Amino acid sequence: MAKIALGVAVVMMLLSAFFGFQTKGKVTELRDSVKTTTENLVRTQSTADKAKADAKAAQEQAAAEKQRADAATADVATAKAEAEKASEEAKSLQAKIDAMPKTAEGATPVAGGGPTQEEMDKLRAELKDAQAKAAEAEQVKLTLENKAKSAESEANSMREQEQRRKQAIMRPGLEGQVLAVNGGFNFVVLSLGDRQGAMLN
């Protein structure tokens, strides 16, 4: 009977050691799994924080571009008004010159007649100056219009990029596979791209 009890005790000890070894392996596996999951969570949180920061920076940049475009549009309106004013001034002077009675070059006007040569020269000089101002204002207006178009185009581009980024982030169930890994050049080939909503961060 003692031998049977001793045999049962030895078997129980062996079973206890076996199950203890198995349990230790499972605990170690669980610890590794928890560690990996924690690391993945930290990486995911870091990626999410970076995405939020990128989104905020993109929104600020888009707002700045919008302000620049609005300022350029306001500058265009001012330049257009100045160009129109200069053009009207030149037209007014030309009309004034055209309305004066003509006198021969160098002739002295009859008393009570047309303007003197000196007055005509002064009016012509004013007309030339007004025309130069009108041409300069028109050039400034064209330059500012191009600047405004460029700023508006940049602002639209930023809005489109932000919209694409939002669509990619908010797209549910986007899944893909890693098709190839190149450790030497540090890149991977994925089974999806920007057409499917994947975005480069």
Side-chain angles (χ1 to χ4, degrees):
M1 188 77 178
K3 285 184 180 179
I4 293 173
L6 185 62
V8 169
V10 168
V11 168
M12 292 298 280
M13 280 177 47
L14 287 174
L15 284 173
S16 176
F18 174 75
F19 285 121
F21 181 74
Q22 287 288 340
T23 304
K24 183 180 178 188
K26 291 284 183 189
V27 167
T28 304
E29 191 178 309
L30 276 172
R31 279 185 186 149
D32 291 344
S33 176
V34 167
K35 183 180 176 185
T36 303
T37 304
T38 304
E39 288 171 355
N40 287 339
L41 281 172
V42 168
R43 272 197 301 272
T44 302
Q45 185 61 46
S46 174
T47 303
D49 290 345
K50 183 181 181 303
K52 283 179 186 175
D54 289 348
K56 186 177 179 184
Q59 287 170 348
E60 287 171 356
Q61 194 173 359
E65 284 300 327
K66 178 75 172 115
Q67 284 181 342
R68 193 167 75 92
D70 291 346
T73 303
D75 289 345
V76 167
T78 303
K80 187 176 180 183
E82 286 176 6
E84 287 172 358
K85 182 181 174 186
S87 179
E88 287 300 320
E89 190 177 324
K91 285 178 187 174
S92 173
L93 283 169
Q94 184 65 54
K96 200 173 186 182
I97 289 171
D98 291 344
M100 290 185 170
K102 305 289 186 234
T103 58
E105 281 298 319
T108 306
V110 184
T116 64
Q117 186 64 37
E118 192 178 303
E119 289 173 333
M120 287 297 289
D121 289 343
K122 183 180 175 188
L123 279 173
R124 284 190 184 110
E126 286 179 12
L127 174 62
K128 190 175 179 182
D129 186 47
Q131 287 172 335
K133 282 182 182 175
E136 183 183 344
E138 187 65 29
Q139 188 60 45
V140 168
K141 182 187 88 161
L142 290 173
T143 302
L144 288 173
E145 279 176 348
N146 289 337
K147 186 178 175 184
K149 284 178 187 173
S150 172
E152 188 62 37
S153 173
E154 187 67 27
N156 287 338
S157 173
M158 297 290 254
R159 278 194 293 268
E160 287 170 8
Q161 283 179 358
E162 178 63 11
Q163 191 63 31
R164 282 198 303 269
R165 189 192 65 75
K166 281 182 180 176
Q167 286 174 348
I169 288 173
M170 297 190 304
R171 186 169 173 183
L174 182 64
E175 291 183 6
Q177 294 177 336
V178 176
L179 301 177
V181 177
N182 187 320
F185 291 104
N186 290 328
F187 74 85
V188 296
V189 178
L190 303 176
S191 64
L192 44 83
D194 58 354
R195 288 184 183 173
Q196 291 81 25
M199 295 292 288
L200 179 65
N201 282 330

